[in-house]
Amino acid sequence: MNNIKNIIAEWSGLLANDLPLRLHRHNEARRILHLAPQSPADFVRHFAESQEELLQRQCKAPAAVVQRACFIAEREARKAGVTAGRMPYAAELPEVCRKAGLRLYIVDAAPRMYIKSWLAGRSMSRGVEHISGGMHMCARELERLMERFELEAEETLLVAANAPTLFAGRAAGLTTAAVMTGYSSPAELRAIGPTMSFDDLGQLVAALVLRDRRDRKEDATCK
């Protein structure tokens, strides 16, 4: 990680425990569309698909009908106070990146404004360079992000807790770190062949802290 200057981190499963929120919204939309609810295990199996694509395929309703159901389900989730929780050590990542001079980019399929509000509500916005929401996790999407902000692949670390994002990072030629806290199993993540892996975000944060301390010590020695 010596040459890393940028970190691209996904929001879902790494920073946020949003499975209860996603499942609540999804099953509310299914109820509106007269479909049976899904169990958490069934829902996770389709994690890589967008909610609207999955519902449209299952109920064969017009796209406008599915979009309306998803909009109502989102509104009902807010009324019910269902929100995404914070994963352990999530608050430390933006702070460590800020202190170490690393640029942190948050990516996810969730809407950008929701992620932005979620981070602000937990005092986690400081240290975040940019948020890209509504992303379909594939190599091309990551490449567009890198082109937009002029990020070099050899200087960028992608941190993912879910297989689709990790696979996209590998396909885009990035250094990758798998964190075993998402909705993909550790076996799925390791099978993709990440550059490095961590049991939880705390281990990655500790590695970044050690790197920053070493860099500061070397700078002091040079002076």
Side-chain angles (χ1 to χ4, degrees), residues 106-110 132-138 141-142 145:
I106 306 296
V107 298
D108 206 78
S132 287
M135 288 182 67
H136 176 68
M137 287 304 166
C138 62
E141 287 285 307
L142 291 174
L145 177 71

Side-chain angles (χ1 to χ4, degrees), residues 14 26-27 39 76 88 90 92 109 141 146 150 155 182 190:
L14 182 74
H26 183 67
N27 279 335
S39 69
E76 292 303 311
E92 282 87 340
E141 287 285 307
M146 294 172 67
E150 300 181 344
E155 297 177 345
R190 292 191 180 101

Side-chain angles (χ1 to χ4, degrees), residues 76 93 103 123 211 214:
E76 292 303 311
L93 183 61
R103 290 176 290 181
S123 302
R211 193 196 85 147
R214 187 191 64 236

Side-chain angles (χ1 to χ4, degrees), residues 138-152:
C138 62
R140 186 58 194 138
E141 287 285 307
L142 291 174
E143 288 165 357
R144 286 196 188 102
L145 177 71
M146 294 172 67
E147 288 169 6
R148 178 182 175 185
F149 293 100
E150 300 181 344
L151 309 182
E152 299 293 336

Side-chain angles (χ1 to χ4, degrees), residues 1-16:
M1 287 200 299
N2 291 345
N3 60 331
I4 295 300
K5 297 179 181 178
N6 317 296
I7 292 181
I8 300 175
E10 75 174 327
W11 179 73
S12 181
L14 182 74
L15 300 178

